[in-house]
Amino acid sequence: MSTHDDRSTDSAAASATDSAANDNTRPLEAGIVTDLSDRMSYGGYLQLDTLLAAQLPVSVPEHHDELLFIVQHQTTELWLKLVIHELDDARRLLAADDLRGALKRIARIKHIQEVLTQQWSVLATLTPTEYAEFRGSLGSSSGFQSAQYRAVEFGLGNKNAKMLRVFDAEPANRELLERELKRPSLYDEFLRLLARRGYAVPADIVDRDVTVAHVLDERIVDLFETVYRDAETHWDVYESCEELVDLEDNFQFWRFRHLRTVGRTIGGKIGTGGSSGADFLARALNLTFFPEMYAVRTRLG
């Protein structure tokens, strides 16, 4: 049988619950840490004081939409940093004959690419009139000068040594690109893995000069035709080829979305970095990382 004190306690608890429900708040659970004076905090771990202080508009007076422009490009650079991290490890794993591990890294890159492509829809809310009101404050700064973007291109195989001079005034960035220029690309490492497995990858491809972009080689198309015509026998290689095609498709979607966003924002104007703008971006759509992956499709069916 409940005592009078028990009934009082139950009544008080019910009253507290009713009160929380009535004021539309969620009570803190007893175990939630609220004293963070000597503990690692969320903001401390993520260095948010530094991160959130890095958005510094330069327009005078400050234009409302410049913050959007800065955040768009800063978040892109953060994602590119992660892509480089994953691409580095994917190549390490391929060199160690761990194809499954490399595919896991590539799968993550593909998801990052989707986020990067979707981000363009946010920047596309910036109208030509709005952008024109602070574009002049950007000087000659341009996404063309993104060292991390170039590092990703180099890592995937679009090598271009002439790009290094853009970073002569930034030694750390030039060093990053020099390192990527001299390092085998993802495709180089994939073809080398196939050679070690006994696939007919010519020796001159395995030992090629990795500081230049790979170009279409019909002998590699022959190899992939063998793989695609008997996918069951070569399943992991077949699957890897399709993953690489996904990777390139995603990259081209990003390039195209970039082109369309620039076109709707500045039309045919010259880019802030001195390029021809949309026309320059359009020509990038003709570049390819894995040419044989697409050429083999002409032979199939």
Side-chain angles (χ1 to χ4, degrees):
M1 178 180 292
S2 299
T3 65
H4 175 73
D5 289 343
D6 291 334
R7 290 194 298 273
S8 298
T9 301
D10 291 343
S11 177
S15 177
T17 300
D18 289 343
S19 175
N22 290 336
D23 66 9
N24 198 30
T25 61
R26 178 179 60 175
L28 290 179
E29 295 174 348
I32 292 177
V33 177
T34 57
D35 182 5
L36 295 165
S37 56
D38 60 350
R39 297 170 183 256
M40 174 70 76
S41 69
Y42 175 80
Y45 174 69
L46 296 177
Q47 297 291 301
L48 291 184
D49 286 346
T50 300
L51 184 65
L52 298 179
Q55 294 74 48
L56 303 173
V58 296
S59 55
V60 180
E62 181 179 324
H63 193 282
H64 173 81
D65 294 314
E66 192 180 354
L67 182 61
L68 159 63
F69 194 79
I70 293 171
V71 169
Q72 168 86 21
H73 290 83
Q74 286 184 341
T75 52
T76 294
E77 290 295 331
L78 286 172
W79 285 121
L80 289 175
K81 181 174 183 176
L82 185 55
V83 170
I84 292 169
H85 178 68
E86 300 297 336
L87 190 54
D88 280 348
D89 207 44
R91 286 178 287 176
R92 179 188 66 82
L93 291 165
L94 287 174
D97 295 317
D98 185 355
L99 184 58
R100 291 178 62 184
L103 291 179
K104 178 64 169 66
R105 303 294 184 264
I106 291 171
R108 181 173 292 166
I109 292 172
K110 286 164 54 179
H111 284 291
I112 298 169
Q113 288 177 308
E114 290 174 3
V115 173
L116 285 168
T117 299
Q118 291 167 1
Q119 279 191 182
W120 287 117
S121 65
V122 183
L123 192 61
T125 65
L126 184 66
T127 69
T129 303
E130 291 165 343
Y131 184 41
E133 290 172 351
F134 69 87
R135 185 176 186 242
S137 302
L138 305 181
S140 58
S141 63
S142 166
F144 177 81
Q145 301 149 11
S146 169
Q148 290 198 127
Y149 173 78
R150 297 302 166 193
V152 171
E153 278 203 324
F154 281 16
L156 291 174
N158 278 164
K159 304 288 184 73
N160 185 351
K162 293 180 180 178
M163 282 300 307
L164 294 180
R165 65 188 184 207
V166 176
F167 303 95
D168 283 344
E170 302 172 358
N173 285 333
R174 183 180 171 102
E175 181 181 349
L176 167 66
L177 291 182
E178 285 179 339
R179 185 166 63 248
E180 285 297 334
L181 185 70
K182 297 173 183 176
R183 183 178 178 183
S185 71
L186 183 70
Y187 198 38
D188 289 324
E189 292 292 10
F190 179 59
L191 293 177
R192 289 177 178 187
L193 179 147
L194 295 185
R196 291 193 297 273
R197 285 191 175 190
Y199 284 89
V201 180
D204 59 300
I205 297 294
V206 172
D207 300 325
R208 77 178 196 90
D209 178 3
V210 298
T211 66
V212 297
H214 174 81
V215 295
L216 178 70
D217 190 302
E218 292 294 338
R219 296 170 297 174
I220 302 299
V221 182
D222 293 341
L223 185 164
F224 289 140
E225 184 177 3
T226 299
V227 169
Y228 273 81
R229 290 197 183 281
D230 189 4
E232 291 297 326
T233 299
H234 309 280
W235 184 257
D236 59 345
V237 174
Y238 170 77
E239 180 185 21
S240 300
C241 290
E242 288 299 290
E243 291 293 316
L244 290 175
V245 169
D246 285 346
L247 192 65
E248 172 150 342
D249 276 358
N250 285 351
F251 203 95
Q252 293 288 36
F253 292 151
W254 184 93
R255 281 171 167 164
F256 181 75
R257 196 69 181 90
H258 184 194
L259 167 64
R260 298 304 300 173
T261 302
V262 168
R264 70 180 287 165
T265 307
I266 66 170
K269 292 185 180 70
I270 297 296
T272 51
S275 75
S276 57
D279 286 345
F280 181 76
L281 296 176
R283 291 196 293 275
L285 294 173
N286 295 322
L287 301 176
T288 179
F289 300 118
F290 320 123
E292 294 87 2
M293 299 282 187
Y294 292 87
V296 71
R297 283 155 167 74
T298 305
R299 298 189 184 180
L300 302 172

